[in-house]
Amino acid sequence: MTAPHVDVEIDGPIARVWLNRPDKLNGITFEMLDGLVQAAERIERDRSVRAVILEGRGPSFCAGLDFGRVMTNRREVFKRFLPHPLRGTNGFQRPLWVWRELPVPVIAVTRGHVFGGGIQLALAADFRITSPDCQWSVMEAKWGLVPDMSGTVPLAELVPADLAKRLVMTGEVFSGERAAEYGIASQVAEDPGKAALELIEALMERSPDSVAASKRLLDETRHSTARRAFRLERRLQRAMLKSPNTREARRAGQEKDTPRFGPRTFR
């Protein structure tokens, strides 16, 4: 039986999502794209999940699109290239962008290679924790292409315009340490998996509703007008004031107690 190209392991409040083609450096296939969407949808339905770790099995996070596997099926490529009329993403963009839309924090743990579609997937996460010797590249320039799996939006949010253009135009390969200097990686750690768990511990001290609403607020107002941002602030705050987890946070704070949060109620 063929192993799935994406594995999901849910252990209490933590979901681990593994890219599962270690012998191919987790090169992206149609099956992997479908698996990423299915994994995100499963996690979204499970309101007990508080955080996601997105990782690659084997020595690499993801070396990008498996051209040899994908480009032999031109009909499927064409079909997936067409945008969804309501979502606005196509079949290559949605499997990555869906992690941006997930109402829980997503942490990409990267080692080895983060190339092409791999860097775009990492950019869809809320945080990227990398080993120092990890190799990163917006690799599409090498093949005469442009990044087209949603990665240009978060890249443009993270780095200055001239740096984004240089990385996209040249396909420069840079280390995990340099990724942090550029502002692409959130943290460098010899053991990025351990660092991810430490970050999750801090996140779980806060209300899951507040964390979800904060992610949405910051993502949606980054490029909005002030008026729109203020309107969304008010709407989300009204939702928080009705949340049972907000009441628990207030109780724990007043009583100097450890909060005992219930499942996430906010979407």
Side-chain angles (χ1 to χ4, degrees):
M1 183 176 178
T2 305
H5 289 191
V6 176
D7 266 345
V8 182
E9 301 171 357
I10 297 179
D11 183 9
I14 301 174
R16 288 182 176 270
V17 178
W18 300 89
L19 307 182
N20 192 34
R21 298 186 73 217
D23 56 324
K24 299 296 184 180
L25 303 180
N26 297 311
I28 296 171
T29 61
F30 294 132
E31 295 91 338
M32 185 176 288
L33 293 172
D34 293 339
L36 285 167
V37 173
Q38 292 161 10
E41 290 176 343
R42 175 184 171 187
I43 292 166
E44 183 174 6
R45 290 192 299 268
D46 189 341
R47 291 182 177 246
S48 66
V49 172
R50 300 287 309 275
V52 178
I53 296 177
L54 187 58
E55 195 165 1
R57 292 201 188 277
S60 287
F61 178 71
C62 177
L65 194 71
D66 186 336
F67 280 91
R69 182 81 171 256
V70 169
M71 297 308 292
T72 55
N73 190 342
R74 295 299 181 93
R75 178 175 295 182
E76 183 66 17
V77 170
F78 177 77
K79 184 176 76 172
R80 290 179 184 250
F81 198 74
L82 298 175
H84 188 279
L86 298 178
R87 286 193 295 264
T89 52
N90 68 17
F92 290 100
Q93 295 161 336
R94 182 168 184 252
L96 281 63
W97 194 251
V98 71
W99 301 97
R100 173 79 171 245
E101 297 177 330
L102 202 66
V104 294
V106 178
I107 305 169
V109 170
T110 70
R111 304 179 182 85
H113 303 86
V114 191
F115 287 171
I119 193 172
Q120 295 184 77
L121 177 58
L123 287 167
D126 300 291
F127 307 96
R128 288 151 297 282
I129 304 180
T130 184
S131 62
D133 58 351
C134 184
Q135 298 291 292
W136 295 65
S137 175
V138 186
M139 187 63 74
E140 284 80 3
K142 180 179 178 181
W143 311 110
L145 302 171
V146 299
D148 66 341
M149 299 177 76
S150 80
T152 54
V153 172
L155 179 64
E157 292 174 350
L158 291 169
V159 304
D162 56 346
L163 177 56
K165 289 175 182 177
R166 189 180 95 203
L167 297 179
V168 170
M169 291 175 181
T170 67
E172 169 188 328
V173 177
F174 51 97
S175 69
E177 289 185 338
R178 183 59 59 86
E181 293 174 8
Y182 286 162
I184 293 173
S186 313
Q187 182 180 346
V188 179
E190 292 293 341
D191 187 344
K194 179 182 178 183
L197 291 173
E198 291 171 350
L199 174 56
I200 288 173
E201 285 182 10
L203 291 167
M204 288 199 298
E205 293 177 359
R206 304 301 176 222
S207 160
D209 294 322
S210 172
V211 170
S214 296
K215 174 174 176 173
R216 181 173 173 184
L217 176 64
L218 293 172
D219 281 347
E220 292 192 10
T221 60
R222 183 178 294 272
H223 299 298
S224 71
T225 64
R227 182 183 292 272
R228 183 175 178 274
F230 298 156
R231 183 167 62 246
L232 183 58
E233 280 184 359
R234 294 192 296 269
R235 182 155 62 87
L236 294 178
Q237 194 71 301
R238 284 196 296 270
M240 292 305 98
L241 291 172
K242 298 175 183 177
S243 165
N245 285 314
T246 300
R247 291 194 293 273
E248 174 58 17
R250 188 181 304 121
R251 180 206 64 79
Q254 291 171 345
E255 299 178 8
K256 295 182 172 54
D257 189 16
T258 300
R260 295 180 287 277
F261 296 118
R264 174 176 50 84
T265 66
F266 178 80
R267 169 60 185 96

